[in-house]
Amino acid sequence: MAAVSATASPLTAIAATAASPTPGVESDAAAETGRGRTIIGDGHIDMGPRFDHGRWTVQIRDDTGKEAVWRNADDVVLQVKDRAEVEVPKDSAFGFLGKPGDHVWLLPQAQQEGVLWPGWNSQEPKVAATVDREVTWQLLDVRGPGDFVLFLNGSFGTPTVVFDARRKLPQETGIEVNSHVHGNWAFTRPGTYLLRVRMSAKTKGGAEHADTRTLRFSVGAQDPRTAFAAKAATSPATHRASPGGGSAAPLWWGAGAATAVALTAVVVVLRRRPADEDGEPQLAATGKDGE
């Protein structure tokens, strides 16, 4: 599909409903894990679980080169360039991003020229063949100079928040097996962000698998190489204020009725999970190809 123009208005950049790319054959990624530190600031990548030599692990599928390759999360910095900076629109539906006119750095659900396009999938061949129903994705901790929000564009561009870094962690969502989804990744201040994530699943044979990794984002004009030196969290998330008044932790699940959003290549389904310990209903986002 065509990319959204880099000159599109901020509202268009945030609210445009977009389809994930047609996944194609996921087994075309290189069998061996890519080696060496890599900074990725443009093109398509996905985060997801993989059986690497039989061991369940969370990796990043890098589609930006001539051949797709899986990479260890520790070896990758995901760069959010200054050209991804947009203003929060005067639409109250986007109030969770800040006040109208506030600046955020946005990796959008719609592909945009010159901006990284991250998604998530559960399509690695062995994962797709053996996992029972879905992969559980947990966001355990967020550290950075501002807030982080992940949200999906629904019907008519209406946003549905998946993660919001001003609320309590950990939180989780379900990724239906053999699915491929894109969303909007928003950061409220420039700097380095560390997102500690865990993906787990049970196979059809009853075996349980889990792995925890840290995603590194470099936001704004800083040298992205500095993000490699940032220390990831190793303890459970706690509420804390970040420099500048933001919150570097917790997230929120949007409440409301279950919503199905038909996209060109993906059907995104938001399903209620049982209420968390604060009594708020949780939503699980899944995508299913070919429907």
Side-chain angles (χ1 to χ4, degrees):
M1 63 171 249
V4 174
S5 169
T7 60
S9 70
L11 179 59
T12 301
I14 293 177
T17 300
S20 295
T22 303
V25 181
E26 290 300 312
S27 59
D28 63 354
E32 295 298 320
T33 300
R35 303 299 177 187
R37 288 183 167 181
T38 303
I39 296 168
I40 308 176
D42 190 6
H44 176 252
I45 63 103
D46 280 326
M47 174 191 64
R50 177 190 178 209
F51 283 101
D52 186 4
H53 293 84
R55 181 176 61 89
W56 175 275
T57 182
V58 177
Q59 293 188 337
I60 294 172
R61 178 185 155 98
D62 179 3
D63 290 315
T64 63
K66 292 183 178 180
E67 296 183 356
V69 61
W70 288 95
R71 299 187 183 278
N72 288 322
D74 291 343
D75 291 337
V76 177
V77 166
L78 302 174
Q79 185 181 17
V80 187
K81 298 177 181 178
D82 264 340
R83 68 186 307 164
E85 185 179 0
V86 298
E87 291 185 2
V88 176
K90 295 179 180 179
D91 184 339
S92 61
F94 293 94
F96 59 88
L97 290 175
K99 297 180 294 185
D102 283 352
H103 287 239
V104 297
W105 284 255
L106 183 82
L107 299 179
Q109 181 172 325
Q111 187 174 16
Q112 185 174 348
E113 184 180 353
V115 177
L116 184 64
W117 192 24
W120 55 96
N121 82 54
S122 55
Q123 294 180 305
E124 191 270 341
K126 189 172 180 181
V127 170
T130 63
V131 166
D132 184 18
R133 198 168 71 87
E134 70 176 19
V135 173
T136 297
W137 174 17
Q138 293 177 302
L139 185 57
L140 304 177
D141 190 81
V142 178
R143 302 199 175 209
D147 297 321
F148 163 71
V149 181
L150 176 65
F151 65 99
L152 299 172
N153 293 328
S155 301
F156 308 107
T158 304
T160 299
V161 176
V162 180
F163 299 142
D164 183 330
R166 293 155 294 196
R167 303 290 179 132
K168 188 175 182 180
L169 288 177
Q171 297 171 10
E172 69 180 44
T173 187
I175 306 172
E176 189 169 333
V177 70
N178 198 27
S179 64
H180 182 196
V181 183
H182 279 256
N184 302 281
W185 307 64
F187 303 86
T188 62
R189 292 179 181 272
T192 296
Y193 290 76
L194 304 179
L195 277 58
R196 188 163 165 252
V197 300
R198 182 178 187 267
M199 287 189 169
S200 60
K202 179 182 290 186
T203 67
K204 297 171 185 176
E208 296 184 352
H209 301 278
D211 186 40
T212 299
R213 298 286 167 171
T214 297
L215 305 180
R216 297 173 181 271
F217 288 84
S218 176
V219 179
Q222 70 172 9
D223 184 342
R225 293 174 294 182
T226 62
F228 283 118
K231 300 297 184 182
T234 58
S235 58
T238 57
H239 288 284
R240 60 193 177 280
S242 64
S247 168
L251 311 176
W252 163 88
W253 296 108
T259 305
V261 182
L263 302 178
T264 304
V266 171
V267 174
V268 175
V269 182
L270 300 177
R271 297 180 288 102
R272 285 185 183 273
R273 282 196 183 274
D276 64 15
E277 61 184 17
D278 293 329
E280 294 187 71
Q282 298 184 355
L283 294 178
T286 68
K288 184 181 293 183
D289 300 307
E291 296 186 353

